[in-house]
């Protein structure tokens, strides 16, 4: 097995071989999840705690289902009602939980780097479910699995990531992963929504959708992340949709068989046309959700194996 990591904090620290190992294992979980009996006991006896300091629908539900299907005891911390509200620091909360001997800690936090910091203080495997605008590794892995299954490969593809790149941890993790597997990544969006240092990311940058999408195999749309904006980045949503919203006319510039992706939550009529998002001949958005459970099962399985090995060696 080629998976050395003890935590899943980001794509940055994973090798291409570790990514492929995880995706291959996830394939077997796709099959399991489609079967009548969805249980495998690889996390039997283990405790998984989900700590979400930011809103989540897909990711939290998906981690919970993944843990339960693998036989873990899963607890969702009600963060709104936790002692964080009484002024306890993230580290104190983590230390308190650590004393209860969890095996897997799944954390989403609004601050970049917070999950990494926490992983240094606890004795269990930590999975980053999104930290600020830094990384969202399981999203990039589920996107990769969706692309690989749909296109039959995960290298030498032209992939356009479009919209609010500057505020997106999804974009960052995807740029890293797709680059490690030798794909050509283009970022498409208004210059106000490009991150600083974009020139060092090894990508091509376009501010026109038609040019950016020309000849692409994959078109990945992103939500305008208003919760991370502290000023006016776009003239108006109407204007934004006109220039950057994906509709069939703009998609016609990509390859004929190009697929459309979106991590959700989607704003129909802002970054994507609602009918196109629902078009099962082009959109793989529901596949992304399905792959999310399988990828999270694979990630927790691999981390649990490494955790057991390190405990036995200690
Ligand atoms: N769900 C993704 C995230 O948590 C994307 C988004 O919120 O727009 O980053």
């Amino acid at each position: 097995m080629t998976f050395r990591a003890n935590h899943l904090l980001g794509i940055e620290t994973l090798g291409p071989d570790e990514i492929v190992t995880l995706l291959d294992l996830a394939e077997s979980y796709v099959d399991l999840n489609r079967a009548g009996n969805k249980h495998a006991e690889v996390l039997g006896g283990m405790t998984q705690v989900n700590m979400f300091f930011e809103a989540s629908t897909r990711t939290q539900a998906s981690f919970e289902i993944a843990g339960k299907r693998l036989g873990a005891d899963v607890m969702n911390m009600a963060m709104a009602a936790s002692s964080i509200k009484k002024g306890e620091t993230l580290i104190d909360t983590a230390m308190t939980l650590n004393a209860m001997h969890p095996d897997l800690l799944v954390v989403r936090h609004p601050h970049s780097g917070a999950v990494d910091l926490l992983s240094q203080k606890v004795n269990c495997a930590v999975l980053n479910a999104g930290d600020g605008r830094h990384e969202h590794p399981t999203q990039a892995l589920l996107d990769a699995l969706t692309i690989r299954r749909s296109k039959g490969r995960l290298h030498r593809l032209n992939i356009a990531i479009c919209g609010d790149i500057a505020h997106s941890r999804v974009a960052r993790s995807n740029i890293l992963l797709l680059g490690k597997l030798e794909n050509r990544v283009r970022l498409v969006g208004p210059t106000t929504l490009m991150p600083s240092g974009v020139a060092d990311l090894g990508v091509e940058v376009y501010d026109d959708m038609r040019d950016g999408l020309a000849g692409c195999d994959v078109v990945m749309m992103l939500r305008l992340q208003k919760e991370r904006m502290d000023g006016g980045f776009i003239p108006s949503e109407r204007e934004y949709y006109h220039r950057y919203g994906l509709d069939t006319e703009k998609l016609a510039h990509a390859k004929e068989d190009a697929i459309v992706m979106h991590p959700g939550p989607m704003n129909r009529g802002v970054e994507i046309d609602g009918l196109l998002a629902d078009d099962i001949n082009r959109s793989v958005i529901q596949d992304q959700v399905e792959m999310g459970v399988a990828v999270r099962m694979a990630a927790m399985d691999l981390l649990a194996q490494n955790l057991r090995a390190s405990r036995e060696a200690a």
Side-chain angles (χ1 to χ4, degrees), residues 58-59 108 136 139 169-170 223 225 227-228 263-265:
R58 274 154 292 273
T59 307
R108 168 170 287 190
H136 193 349
Q139 178 71 46
R169 54 197 177 206
V170 174
R223 181 175 66 89
Q225 306 201 22
E227 74 276 22
R228 298 194 209 291

Side-chain angles (χ1 to χ4, degrees), residues 68-104:
K68 286 184 171 159
R69 287 191 181 156
L70 294 182
D73 295 314
V74 184
M75 188 191 73
N76 288 308
M77 290 273 292
M79 297 318 298
S82 77
S83 292
I84 292 272
K85 292 279 168 213
K86 298 183 187 166
E88 186 174 76
T89 65
L90 171 66
I91 299 303
D92 283 339
T93 305
M95 298 303 286
T96 304
L97 274 178
N98 194 47
M100 299 182 202
H101 300 292
D103 302 286
L104 296 147

Side-chain angles (χ1 to χ4, degrees), residues 41 102 115 160 179 235-236 254 263:
E41 286 305 308
V115 184
S236 71

